[in-house]
Amino acid sequence: MNLVDDWKQCRPNIYLYADDAKIYKSVETDDDVNSLQRVVSRIKEWCNSWLLKLNVNKCKVVSYNRKEIIDSNYFIREENTDYKLEKVSSIKDLAVIFDFRLNFRQHIQDKINKAYSMIGLIKRNFIHMDNTFVMLYKSLNTH
């Protein structure tokens, strides 16, 4: 079976951005886990055939679910060794932190912490603050 056949059978979705890819699929049964693993393996084979280096350490697994999560492990074979993909409860993608419940609390807290850090930097470096402070803060914090 080739990549296209496995892709059609598994029916995963993929998001591509620059040199980054996100593969996702609704996993409800062990068959879903196995078919997704086959796709992961085929993608690794495709990368090898095109001499593309896949950084296994950057490959992560995150499950988004309101119900019970099916315990599953995914692997990438590299030089006759199976590397288990790390499971994480949150992941940062395009500067947004997604957690397993999709509630964005961690993302919001991260942005608040960065804003406080920026305010502290400005306060430490400017003794007399007036309207200049607001202008500096807005110009430095464009995110």
Side-chain angles (χ1 to χ4, degrees), residues 44-97:
K44 175 62 176 137
E45 290 171 13
W46 182 86
C47 289
N48 290 345
S49 69
W50 287 96
L51 304 176
L52 297 172
K53 181 75 173 149
L54 188 63
N55 189 341
V56 177
N57 295 324
K58 287 187 173 183
C59 297
K60 309 288 182 207
V61 174
V62 63
S63 297
Y64 305 102
N65 200 328
R66 285 185 250 158
K67 299 182 266 180
E68 183 179 330
I69 296 173
I70 294 177
D71 188 31
S72 57
N73 294 309
Y74 297 96
F75 300 87
I76 291 181
R77 180 170 281 270
E78 181 92 15
E79 298 175 4
N80 296 325
T81 303
D82 284 335
Y83 292 94
K84 182 179 174 183
L85 298 182
E86 180 185 358
K87 288 184 184 179
V88 294
S89 60
S90 64
I91 196 159
K92 191 173 204 175
D93 185 34
L94 300 175
V96 177
I97 299 173

Side-chain angles (χ1 to χ4, degrees), residues 91-127:
I91 196 159
K92 191 173 204 175
D93 185 34
L94 300 175
V96 177
I97 299 173
F98 295 90
D99 75 353
F100 72 101
R101 296 194 190 271
L102 294 175
N103 65 18
F104 299 100
R105 285 187 189 119
Q106 186 178 358
H107 175 75
I108 293 166
Q109 190 60 52
D110 181 61
K111 295 303 176 191
I112 290 169
N113 292 344
K114 285 183 181 178
Y116 282 141
S117 176
M118 185 64 66
I119 289 170
L121 174 76
I122 293 170
K123 277 185 167 182
R124 283 190 303 276
N125 290 299
F126 295 95
I127 298 168

